[in-house]
Amino acid sequence: EDGKVCSAGGLCANSVCVAYGKPRLFSKHFGGTSDDQWHGVVATEDLGALLVGYTESGAKGGRDGWVVRIDRAGTQKWQHKVADNAKDSLLGITRLPQYAVAVGWTTANNQRDARAIAIAADGTKVWEKTVKSAADDVAHAVVAGLNDGVVAVGRAGENPMIMGFSKVGDVSKKVIDAKHKGALVSAWPLPAGALAAAGTYTVDGKGTDCALVFAQPNGTIVATKLLGGTGNERCSDVVGHQSGYALVGSEPFGGDKTRMTLWRVDSAGGLVFKRTWSDYPPSEGLAAAPTLGGGLQLGGRSFLNAQDMRVMHVNDFGQVDYAYNYGPGGFQEVRDIAVLPDGGMYVVGVDNYGGKGGYDGWVMRLDAWGYESCYESGGCADTTYSSCADTNPCTRDLCTQKKGCYHP
């Protein structure tokens, strides 16, 4: 990527052949003059990514579900639009060996139906399934299931829902939790096709709690754990962490304000600890991802400059290693995070300030310390490769004055 010569078959990094090559950190907007947003991201084997969301710029039905494939430098390789006469949106995505599957919703008769679509590596559609229902159904997230199928979570009307799709798109199960009101918005796959899922449930018709659900391979819910107090707690993401799980969301404070909240639970859903941050400015957690060296990468929004993207890393005990806000003004927020083998990450979301107009899909590739470039860290604007220091987060492996930070 630096234009220099490396040995045949190798990837170049400042004339040095390394395992993954030299990543180009970047911040890019996608979309046109109308509203366009990213909701999910999954990394690809070549350190690129698949982005999912929706676009209203030139949309056939007013809003089209949208999948974009980018390479490691953020260059678009292809796009796939769910372009019919209805409004559509894609909210989550997972990768299988043979293709990727995205889920979301489509409109019909003034209500939404859950939708899943499988996309091949070249961007062509493998199969597509819309699940008709009398209720307003939305599929929020999807993970790999048994026999090359997938499992989606969401809601059916007012109730949480778990739905399975076979490898050819047939609906293999649909379980509606009639005992609770709310929605499941995130899922984490467990061994032998079981599932952990998280969302926000209404409690006694009053406030809301963060909910953690365990389900069998057939979708049967075997346990529901509610995490919350007397206010309106909300959960946006769940990931496996150590021998249990980590859930990120928000809890209320100071009247109508919220603050980013992390719940760490054991394998049975028992609370190990809870951490909250940012009494000022108010904030909300929306995404989480385990990191390779331990700890968690968290994302969300902070109400500092109107509303900013919030990116932070915490250790296994919830102590903050770093926290940064991205956004010069307007409205920005993190919707999803994908951690890469080099320790860096893709962060996706939405921005209405730095793009072409309306809301734009925003994707950043950051290093393991949350930096987009050496200049951003303020630590090595004049540092050359020969004086890189592993103790300096900005110059851990390679740094050049003109091109910024790179990590093989």
Side-chain angles (χ1 to χ4, degrees):
E1 289 181 346
D2 62 8
K4 297 186 178 182
V5 178
C6 203
S7 63
L11 295 172
C12 296
N14 224 23
S15 296
V16 179
C17 293
V18 294
Y20 296 107
K22 187 167 65 174
R24 299 185 180 188
L25 309 176
F26 60 80
S27 173
K28 293 190 176 185
H29 292 79
F30 289 79
T33 57
S34 297
D35 287 346
D36 312 282
Q37 302 190 21
W38 296 132
H39 285 284
V41 59
V42 62
T44 54
E45 291 180 353
D46 60 356
L47 302 188
L50 292 168
L51 317 174
V52 295
Y54 71 79
T55 178
E56 294 183 355
S57 299
K60 184 176 180 180
R63 174 181 293 183
D64 290 342
W66 198 19
V67 184
V68 169
R69 170 75 158 86
I70 60 172
D71 63 18
R72 68 178 69 187
T75 302
Q76 180 176 313
K77 308 302 291 183
W78 52 257
Q79 66 174 333
H80 181 95
K81 291 184 179 181
V82 184
D84 51 28
N85 292 322
K87 284 190 174 182
D88 307 278
S89 184
L90 297 173
L91 304 179
I93 187 168
T94 191
R95 283 183 63 231
L96 301 176
Q98 63 273 40
Y99 45 66
V101 178
V103 298
W105 54 265
T106 183
T107 53
N109 300 321
N110 296 319
Q111 72 174 31
R112 291 177 293 185
D113 291 324
R115 167 173 278 177
I117 180 170
I119 305 292
D122 62 358
T124 58
K125 181 175 69 175
V126 179
W127 54 259
E128 181 178 326
K129 183 69 173 183
T130 299
V131 184
K132 299 291 185 179
S133 170
D136 188 69
D137 291 359
V138 175
H140 283 281
V142 60
V143 295
L146 293 175
N147 303 317
D148 297 325
V150 296
V151 181
V153 299
R155 66 173 177 86
E158 297 181 332
N159 305 110
M161 174 185 67
I162 299 174
M163 182 180 297
F165 296 89
S166 73
K167 63 181 180 181
V168 294
D170 295 331
V171 177
S172 57
K173 56 177 170 280
K174 182 178 180 181
V175 176
I176 299 173
D177 182 3
K179 297 180 180 178
H180 297 96
K181 290 186 177 181
L184 295 172
V185 297
S186 176
W188 187 260
L190 301 180
L195 182 76
T200 302
Y201 285 9
T202 301
V203 182
D204 298 327
K206 299 177 182 178
T208 59
D209 277 351
C210 173
L212 175 62
V213 169
F214 297 99
Q216 295 175 343
N218 64 3
T220 301
I221 295 172
V222 294
T224 299
K225 304 291 184 180
L226 298 180
L227 305 169
T230 59
N232 288 314
E233 289 80 12
R234 303 182 64 84
C235 262
S236 300
D237 206 356
V238 60
V239 294
H241 183 57
Q242 294 183 318
S243 59
Y245 308 93
L247 301 94
V248 66
S250 65
E251 71 170 17
F253 81 101
D256 60 351
K257 301 180 181 66
T258 62
R259 55 191 174 196
M260 184 181 287
T261 303
L262 172 70
W263 291 268
R264 171 75 172 83
V265 301
D266 60 26
S267 60
L271 184 66
V272 177
F273 64 76
K274 182 181 78 170
R275 297 283 185 267
T276 60
W277 301 281
S278 300
D279 289 351
Y280 181 82
S283 59
E284 184 173 359
L286 299 173
T291 48
L292 302 179
L296 296 160
Q297 201 71 55
L298 305 178
R301 55 189 176 189
S302 172
F303 301 94
L304 180 61
N305 300 311
Q307 180 172 309
D308 293 339
M309 275 187 166
R310 180 81 164 168
V311 177
M312 61 192 295
H313 187 273
V314 299
N315 65 19
D316 292 333
F317 304 98
Q319 298 166 323
V320 177
D321 295 318
Y322 66 75
Y324 300 113
N325 289 338
Y326 294 90
F331 177 102
Q332 298 88 23
E333 70 179 27
V334 175
R335 298 279 177 76
D336 201 8
I337 296 174
V339 172
L340 298 170
D342 66 359
M345 74 199 88
Y346 286 109
V347 178
V348 302
V350 60
D351 173 33
N352 74 344
Y353 187 86
K356 297 180 181 179
Y359 289 95
D360 288 297
W362 191 8
V363 56
M364 295 188 292
R365 181 171 178 175
L366 307 177
D367 69 12
W369 294 273
Y371 295 138
E372 180 195 335
S373 71
C374 288
Y375 300 101
E376 217 169 41
S377 75
C380 65
D382 297 321
T383 302
T384 61
Y385 169 67
S386 61
S387 59
C388 282
D390 285 349
T391 56
N392 184 338
C394 187
T395 65
R396 185 184 66 153
D397 294 308
L398 299 174
C399 180
T400 61
Q401 182 177 351
K402 293 183 178 180
K403 293 191 176 182
C405 304
Y406 304 99
H407 305 296

